[in-house]
């Protein structure tokens, strides 16, 4: 087999199935079997199909991945299902007999693709909120450098972004965070926010593809973080849907609270919902490009649980909903060609109820809280302003 095809299959399996296969890692040979099946698919029709999809679903010359169920995802999912379907027979041939229904249900729970993330993200969608710290008020205008007419482009980089691009923390500690001023969450604190402004390249008049990413997150500790880092930890998106007792059965709320009062870390996390690279979001159909959540330690210390019933991203305590994740996208733009419009702005934030925010400040110590910020901008290669 062509080693390049096998390497491609390994990358596809890791990207689309890595987490699910890790959950089923007790089954020997499963990952290897899936990789072999994907490699076989890409040695025949799948690669040609994916090239055709990228050509037909995108504008000519575009390197973007369209928001569709592409051949690499389909081949990976098909390979997983085919490999998993024969596991019980393979075990029997090696002398290990298992109870059929229990074995296959347990394996399916670990390996199945869960559509609930996309459904929750849709329920969490809201009209684009304008909540953000004062130094980010310039970003209220969607893609401020872009005009559909192309006659009077705004300055690039945006003057507001250029002014604070060298900051990693805002003055004022936690008081620099924004508060919601209208709607059902009036008075709640926005403890994290990420928003991407992105516009496509145009040829008439000539203009490169451009992007600005802004991120804000509550952090704790005296250490100065790296200027190029995001103010977030990493987390599984299941923190929104699975009780913390199942995610970490050894966690103790009292011990975790003590750790919060002495540790140095972000209190919010960029989850594995969608893609963990905010510059190149690649998601399954319907999933958000990225998502935010409280770090598990904060969930444990505050004794939060997933909100019952149909909802978006919501955690509750005995008083009701306590932490809410919101998603938005909009401000459609075009590149002058006959292609579908694309949203120039996509974002998400994390809100915390006022009394819960006060408890969090008390548990951590107000003097140790900081408002982390990251502002970056980039243009396609060859742009003089990059």
């Amino acid at each position: 087999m062509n080693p390049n095809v096998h390497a491609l299959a390994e990358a596809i399996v890791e990207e689309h199935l890595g987490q699910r296969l890790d959950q089923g890692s007790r089954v020997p040979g499963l990952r290897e079997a899936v990789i072999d099946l994907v490699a076989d698919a890409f040695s025949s029709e799948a690669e040609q199909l994916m090239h055709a999809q990228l050509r037909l679903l995108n504008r000519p010359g575009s390197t973007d991945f369209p928001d569709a169920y592409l051949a690499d995802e389909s081949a990976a999912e098909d390979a997983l299902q085919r490999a998993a379907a024969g596991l019980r027979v393979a075990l029997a041939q090696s002398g290990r007999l298992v109870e059929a229904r229990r074995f296959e249900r347990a394996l399916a729970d670990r390996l199945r693709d869960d559509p609930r993330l996309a459904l929750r993200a849709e329920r969490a969608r809201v009209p684009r909120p304008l909540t953000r710290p004062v130094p980010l008020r310039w970003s209220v205008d969607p893609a401020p450098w872009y005009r559909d007419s192309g006659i009077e482009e705004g300055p690039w980089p945006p003057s507001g972004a250029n002014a604070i691009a060298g900051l990693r923390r805002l003055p004022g500690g936690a008081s620099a965070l924004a508060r919601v001023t209208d709607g059902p969450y009036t008075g709640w604190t926005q403890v994290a926010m990420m928003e991407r402004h992105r516009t496509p390249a145009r040829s008439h008049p000539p203009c490169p593809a451009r992007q600005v990413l802004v991120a804000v997150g509550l952090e704790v500790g005296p250490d100065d973080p790296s200027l190029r880092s995001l103010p977030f930890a990493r987390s599984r998106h299941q923190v929104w849907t699975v009780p913390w007792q199942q995610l970490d059965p050894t966690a103790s709320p009292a011990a975790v609270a003590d750790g919060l009062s002495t540790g140095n870390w972000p209190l919010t996390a960029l989850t594995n919902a969608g893609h963990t690279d905010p510059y190149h979001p690649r998601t399954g159909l319907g999933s958000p490009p990225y998502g935010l959540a409280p770090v598990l330690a904060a969930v444990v210390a505050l004794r939060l649980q997933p909100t019952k019933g149909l909802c978006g991203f919501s955690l509750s305590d005995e008083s009701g909903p306590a932490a809410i994740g919101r998603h938005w996208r909009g401000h459609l733009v075009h590149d002058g060609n006959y292609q579908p419009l694309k949203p120039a702005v996509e974002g998400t934030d994390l809100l915390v109820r006022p009394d819960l925010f006060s408890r969090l400040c008390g548990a951590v110590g107000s003097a140790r809280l900081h408002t982390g910020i990251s502002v970056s901008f980039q243009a396609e290669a060859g742009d003089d302003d990059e």
Side-chain angles (χ1 to χ4, degrees):
M1 178 179 294
N2 187 332
N4 293 331
V5 173
H6 198 271
L8 174 64
E10 288 183 349
I12 290 173
V13 169
E14 182 59 33
E15 178 175 359
H16 297 303
L17 304 176
Q19 183 184 11
R20 289 155 63 191
L21 284 169
D22 288 342
Q23 295 171 358
S25 59
R26 288 179 294 176
V27 181
L30 178 59
R31 185 183 296 265
E32 291 75 13
V34 173
I35 292 173
D36 288 343
L37 288 170
V38 172
D40 287 341
F42 268 77
S43 296
S44 54
E45 74 280 355
E47 185 174 15
Q48 290 77 16
L49 175 58
M50 187 167 181
H51 284 308
Q53 289 175 324
L54 293 176
R55 185 180 70 255
L56 296 172
L57 298 176
N58 254 341
R59 70 180 189 278
S62 174
T63 58
D64 290 343
F65 281 96
D67 189 11
Y69 194 61
L70 301 178
D72 59 337
E73 295 173 273
S74 175
E77 187 66 36
D78 179 66
L80 176 63
Q81 301 301 330
R82 289 170 58 194
L87 281 175
R88 186 162 55 86
V89 175
L91 289 174
Q93 290 175 340
S94 64
R96 181 183 171 189
L97 298 178
V98 294
E99 198 280 315
R101 180 175 296 178
R102 182 181 301 171
F103 172 81
E104 296 197 357
R105 172 174 287 183
L107 186 64
D109 286 342
R110 296 199 300 271
L111 297 181
R112 68 183 178 186
D113 189 13
D114 191 350
R116 290 175 294 183
L117 173 62
L119 296 175
R120 283 180 176 267
E122 188 61 27
R123 288 185 174 274
R125 282 187 63 177
V126 297
R128 181 178 179 240
L130 305 183
T131 309
R132 61 202 64 216
V134 172
L136 290 178
R137 291 286 172 82
W138 57 269
S139 66
V140 167
D141 185 11
W145 63 88
Y146 189 90
R147 302 290 182 272
D148 281 338
S149 64
I151 298 175
E152 295 182 2
E153 296 289 310
W156 176 263
S159 56
N162 219 9
I164 63 174
L167 287 181
R168 184 52 181 75
R169 280 178 172 170
L170 294 178
S175 64
L177 293 170
R179 271 70 177 178
V180 181
T181 58
D182 56 7
Y185 304 113
T186 298
W188 288 41
T189 301
Q190 185 189 65
V191 295
M193 187 269 286
M194 175 180 281
E195 187 174 70
R196 183 190 66 183
H197 298 229
R198 184 185 184 192
T199 55
R202 293 189 301 190
S203 55
H204 301 289
C207 180
R210 290 171 172 168
Q211 176 173 283
V212 167
L213 183 74
V214 298
V216 175
L218 186 62
E219 298 177 302
V220 58
D223 296 342
D224 291 329
S226 168
L227 184 62
R228 297 181 63 84
S229 64
L230 290 172
F232 307 125
R234 297 285 183 174
S235 172
R236 292 181 290 170
H237 69 268
Q238 284 87 351
V239 70
W240 289 111
T241 58
V242 179
W244 60 262
Q245 294 90 340
Q246 296 181 29
L247 294 176
D248 187 358
T250 64
S252 162
V256 169
D258 289 340
L260 286 176
S261 64
T262 58
N264 303 319
W265 49 50
L267 289 176
T268 58
L270 185 63
T271 74
N272 60 357
H275 202 289
T276 56
D277 181 354
Y279 288 109
H280 304 92
R282 177 85 185 280
T283 67
L285 194 63
S287 298
Y290 33 74
L292 297 171
V295 295
L296 185 61
V299 174
V300 174
L302 298 172
R303 302 174 187 266
L304 303 181
Q305 297 289 346
T307 301
K308 296 180 180 179
L310 296 176
C311 62
F313 297 113
S314 176
L315 296 171
S316 295
D317 59 12
E318 63 277 2
S319 299
I324 297 292
R326 304 187 295 183
H327 288 264
W328 60 88
R329 62 189 303 183
H331 188 62
L332 298 178
V333 296
H334 66 84
D335 61 359
N337 295 313
Y338 293 100
Q339 296 292 330
L341 302 182
K342 294 186 176 182
V345 178
E346 294 182 285
T348 181
D349 67 0
L350 177 61
L351 308 180
V352 171
R353 206 177 59 213
D355 63 302
L356 195 71
F357 182 71
S358 297
R359 282 176 52 199
L360 184 61
C361 291
V364 174
S366 298
R368 302 181 66 245
L369 289 172
H370 304 277
T371 298
I373 185 171
S374 175
V375 176
S376 56
F377 43 85
Q378 65 180 27
E380 68 179 9
D383 178 30
D384 294 337
D385 294 328
E386 185 177 4

